[in-house]
Amino acid sequence: MFKLTRILARNVTVANLTGTRSMRPRLYANAAALNEEEQTSTAPNPDEPIDIANPYEKDRQLCILCKHNVTPHYKNVKLLSQFQSPYTGRIYGRHITGLCKRKQEDVEKAILRAQHCLMMPGYHKDLDFLHDPKLFDPEKPVRPHKY
């Protein structure tokens, strides 16, 4: 009886008793061999591949306002005028400005509010802001159209 309990203590784990099986072989003669097996199996294998970052992955594109953490406000007319056409006063689209969807909506709301408060003209760009540095080139859109 005593030998049977020693064999069970060596080969049976709590996981075996609860219903999940252990991945150990059952026919080892002594516990020292089991401990050596566990220690050698946890050592890293030099033939296995190493996890590294993808060298061909493109950098994540951030819009200019997200990159500098700028929130458009209707009183910041100088910033908002850069997203407006100088000839027609139209608001440039996302494919031209390169803004993310949320910032583009914020810019459009801020421009419309500034025009409603008469801080910005609606049909042309203010002459004071024509020589400002450009955030983007309207002639070369970020995402060109199909035609």
Side-chain angles (χ1 to χ4, degrees):
M1 181 72 178
F2 184 66
K3 289 182 181 180
L4 181 63
T5 56
R6 279 186 22 198
I7 292 172
L8 286 176
R10 257 190 254 147
N11 294 329
V12 176
T13 62
V14 177
N16 285 343
L17 295 176
T18 59
T20 57
R21 293 190 162 254
S22 174
M23 297 303 287
R24 285 188 208 160
R26 296 184 190 178
L27 301 175
Y28 281 107
N30 56 9
L34 284 175
N35 290 338
E36 290 175 9
E37 169 77 23
E38 288 176 359
Q39 289 175 359
T40 57
S41 66
T42 59
N45 188 354
D47 293 335
E48 290 184 4
I50 302 170
D51 290 334
I52 60 171
N54 185 0
Y56 301 106
E57 185 176 8
K58 292 183 180 179
D59 293 335
R60 185 172 174 219
Q61 294 288 353
L62 288 175
C63 71
I64 188 109
L65 298 181
C66 290
K67 188 188 308 182
H68 298 294
N69 198 15
V70 175
T71 55
H73 195 263
Y74 76 98
K75 292 181 183 178
N76 192 355
V77 179
K78 190 168 188 172
L79 173 71
L80 296 177
S81 68
Q82 295 185 1
F83 298 102
Q84 187 181 25
S85 172
Y87 307 111
T88 61
R90 285 189 59 197
I91 302 169
Y92 288 123
R94 270 183 67 201
H95 69 282
I96 296 174
T97 61
L99 295 178
C100 61
K101 187 174 184 178
R102 190 170 131 243
K103 292 293 183 179
Q104 179 71 25
E105 289 174 359
D106 292 345
V107 165
E108 288 175 2
K109 286 179 185 176
I111 288 175
L112 292 176
R113 186 169 180 189
Q115 288 174 351
H116 183 70
C117 295
L118 298 177
M119 294 181 171
M120 286 180 70
Y123 294 109
H124 59 84
K125 191 172 185 177
D126 199 0
L127 297 176
D128 297 335
F129 304 132
L130 283 178
H131 299 292
D132 287 344
K134 293 186 178 186
L135 298 176
F136 55 89
D137 188 12
E139 300 298 324
K140 295 181 182 175
V142 177
R143 293 186 317 244
H145 50 75
K146 299 175 191 173
Y147 48 90

